[in-house]
């Protein structure tokens, strides 16, 4: 079975901009998803895309967990570095079900590929809430010093995009960066009202860079916020439920919008499924460091 990536990311974006946008889910499913998303300062989970093209809160094949730094030798299992995030679809016989927001499984997930080879259409993402900072997109784009919005990423040799297609590539990353923003309004409205009115928007840009596996690399998203080159920045609002190219830079289009959440995602490339094995750390927002992990 093959899913359209735009539809999957639309579902992910809908998750980020609010449960009111998840029109394909029942009220009980929306509540369950919101409960599963609840954490101290953000969203940290894996998404499963079903045959009915519904987005579910947890994936049976993608694990989103804290992990040890893979570049630090001599660390045994259980010696975790709390600030390293691991998004993976590789099987781990030692991983307990429910050990993360997404739970790895050897069960068949999509009718074509089973979890034991790590090939999946599912998607892992981690979002951190920054609404208490009163930051705008312009703040992140102009902060300077490479610390407006940046993070480090690492992929292993087993991280593969577009498995089984002519576009197959091994060892590339980091995939998507996400921002959820709220456009300014004169009225004193809440998040749910803003989501319904279309004032919450998910912004996303996908990048695949081949810079060597097993090494940490830095992505300076602050600079990218003033770039309109390919790959294009895309937006999805709760009102339109459409994923479209912004057509200009996020700084130009959303400079005065409040930044509510930032994060990363990895999975399901445009041309086929993926094997996920990516690490993230060192998230910096307007000069302040955050941890991806819970």
């Amino acid at each position: 079975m093959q899913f359209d990536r735009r539809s999957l990311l639309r579902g992910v974006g809908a998750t980020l901009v609010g449960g009111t946008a998840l029109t394909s889910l029942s009220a009980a499913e929306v509540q369950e998803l919101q409960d599963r998303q609840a954490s101290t300062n953000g969203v940290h989970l894996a998404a499963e895309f079903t045959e009915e093209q519904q987005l579910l809160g947890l994936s049976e094949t993608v694990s989103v967990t804290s992990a040890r730094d893979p570049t630090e030798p001599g660390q045994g299992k259980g010696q975790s570095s709390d600030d390293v995030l691991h998004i993976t679809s590789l099987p781990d016989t030692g991983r307990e079900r429910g050990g993360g927001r997404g739970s790895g499984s050897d069960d068949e997930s999509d009718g074509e590929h089973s979890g034991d080879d790590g090939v999946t259409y599912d998607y892992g993402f981690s979002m951190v809430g920054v609404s208490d900072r009163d930051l705008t997109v312009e703040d992140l784009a102009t902060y300077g010093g490479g610390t407006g919005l940046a993070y480090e990423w690492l992929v292993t040799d087993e991280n593969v995009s577009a498995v089984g297609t002519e576009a197959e590539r091994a060892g590339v990353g980091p995939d998507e960066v996400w921002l959820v923003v709220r456009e300014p309004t004169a009225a004193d409205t809440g998040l749910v009202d803003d989501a319904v009115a279309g004032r919450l928007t998910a912004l996303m840009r996908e990048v695949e860079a081949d810079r060597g596996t097993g090494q940490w690399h830095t992505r300076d998203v602050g600079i990218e916020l003033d770039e309109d080159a390919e790959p294009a920045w895309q937006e999805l609002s709760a009102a339109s439920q459409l994923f479209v190219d912004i057509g200009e830079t996020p700084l130009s289009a959303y400079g005065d919008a409040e930044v509510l959440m930032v994060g990363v995602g990895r999975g399901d490339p445009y041309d086929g499924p993926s094997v996920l094995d990516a690490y993230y750390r060192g998230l910096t927002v307007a000069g302040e460091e955050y941890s991806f992990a819970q």
Side-chain angles (χ1 to χ4, degrees), residues 33 54 71 83 126 139 150 169 174 191 207 220 242 254 256 269 273 286:
L33 178 58
Q54 291 182 335
T71 65
D83 60 352
S126 179
D139 291 332
R169 296 180 67 191
L191 286 177
V207 169
D220 186 347
L242 296 175
Y254 290 98
D256 60 351

Side-chain angles (χ1 to χ4, degrees), residues 26-287:
S26 68
E29 289 171 325
V30 168
Q31 185 60 55
E32 180 182 1
L33 178 58
Q34 291 174 335
D35 290 344
R36 289 177 184 270
Q37 287 177 348
S39 63
T40 55
N41 74 338
V43 177
H44 182 175
L45 51 78
E48 179 181 0
F49 210 51
T50 72
E51 293 184 20
E52 294 76 24
Q53 299 208 353
Q54 291 182 335
L55 181 78
L56 302 182
L58 293 181
S59 169
E60 291 298 323
T61 53
V62 179
S63 174
V64 183
T65 60
S66 303
R68 67 178 179 87
D69 185 336
T71 65
E72 294 182 9
Q75 286 192 348
K77 202 172 187 65
Q79 293 178 281
S80 297
S81 178
D82 290 339
D83 60 352
V84 177
L85 174 75
H86 190 199
I87 299 178
T88 186
S89 60
L90 295 175
D92 183 349
T93 56
R95 183 188 302 135
E96 296 182 3
R97 291 176 63 86
R101 286 287 179 178
S103 299
S105 170
D106 290 339
D107 298 336
E108 190 168 318
S109 64
D110 55 36
E112 285 187 34
H113 301 290
S114 60
D116 57 4
D117 59 8
V119 179
T120 182
Y121 289 101
D122 292 357
Y123 191 90
F125 60 97
S126 179
M127 300 292 296
V128 175
V130 295
S131 59
D132 61 335
R133 301 278 305 280
D134 294 323
L135 296 168
T136 65
V137 171
E138 182 178 8
D139 291 332
L140 304 190
T142 61
Y143 192 83
T147 60
L149 177 57
Y151 61 88
E152 293 181 276
W153 60 273
L154 177 153
V155 294
T156 71
D157 291 331
E158 296 187 86
N159 189 82
V160 183
S161 297
V163 173
T165 74
E166 293 181 357
E168 181 172 314
R169 296 180 67 191
V172 296
D175 225 336
E176 278 84 22
V177 64
W178 291 84
L179 295 84
V180 178
V181 302
R182 173 164 56 177
E183 297 183 63
T185 175
D188 185 14
T189 55
L191 286 177
V192 174
D193 289 339
D194 286 344
V196 173
R199 289 187 290 269
L200 297 191
T201 303
L203 309 179
M204 181 274 289
R205 192 186 198 194
E206 178 263 348
V207 169
E208 283 195 342
D210 186 358
R211 297 180 183 170
T213 58
Q215 306 171 46
W216 287 106
H217 309 284
T218 300
R219 182 175 183 181
D220 186 347
V221 184
I223 291 177
E224 294 182 33
L225 292 171
D226 197 22
E227 292 180 352
D228 60 0
E230 293 295 330
W233 279 94
Q234 295 185 312
E235 62 183 358
L236 178 142
S237 71
S240 69
Q241 298 191 45
L242 296 175
F243 231 152
V244 297
D245 291 352
I246 294 178
E248 53 186 316
T249 72
L251 177 58
S252 298
Y254 290 98
D256 60 351
E258 179 188 3
V259 180
L260 302 177
M261 306 182 77
V262 298
V264 295
R266 169 79 186 102
D268 191 34
Y270 286 99
D271 300 311
S274 296
V275 176
L276 316 183
D277 200 35
Y279 295 82
Y280 302 89
R281 72 177 187 187
L283 175 65
T284 305
V285 183

